[in-house]
Amino acid sequence: MRSNTPAGRRYLRRFWPTMLAYVATLFFAVWAIKTWRPEGVLLVTLSILPALPIIAVIGVIGLYIVEERDEFIRARVVQAMLIGMGFMLAVASAWGFLEDGGVVPHAPAYWAFILWCMGWGIAQCVQSLRDRMGGSGDDA
């Protein structure tokens, strides 16, 4: 993601506080669940707490896509996101069948967001390398 556009700078101003909130809520929730051993509504509340900043990050990403005025940059980001989503779906599908076969252990569902981010990041690296090597891949 480029931070040299106004939308990119706004994205970063929104992204970092949200990620700090994620880290804080994650550590607090893990500590509170282990220390207090809550049940019922409190357990549900503490368990969902770290997901709320992640949901906010998804909103921040969506705002960036809406606010980015540079169509080339927006198209590249969306393309990288789609590649990331394909990566996540491919890994999750393969993992699910392997899990059903008893080959691999169960993986928590929150790994889906992490896989998507990994795929998105890898796609952006490939896009940048491709551009540095002299082509955008749109020459056809």
Side-chain angles (χ1 to χ4, degrees), residues 110-129:
Y110 59 74
W111 274 96
F113 182 75
I114 296 167
L115 286 171
W116 177 68
C117 289
M118 287 173 52
W120 179 16
I122 292 168
Q124 286 193 309
C125 288
V126 170
Q127 286 175 331
S128 293
L129 285 172

Side-chain angles (χ1 to χ4, degrees), residues 38-107:
E39 296 177 358
V41 174
L42 183 58
L43 178 60
V44 171
T45 302
L46 288 170
S47 297
I48 197 72
L49 197 59
L52 300 178
I54 294 296
I55 294 167
V57 165
I58 294 169
V60 167
I61 293 168
L63 280 175
Y64 171 74
I65 296 298
V66 169
E67 293 176 351
E68 180 57 65
R69 296 291 169 232
D70 187 320
E71 293 178 10
F72 176 73
I73 292 174
R74 185 173 47 217
R76 285 176 46 110
V77 170
V78 169
Q79 183 184 35
M81 288 176 163
L82 289 173
I83 292 169
M85 187 169 52
F87 176 76
M88 180 219 27
L89 291 172
V91 171
S93 296
W95 192 275
F97 285 109
L98 289 169
E99 188 177 315
D100 279 350
V103 178
V104 296
H106 175 69

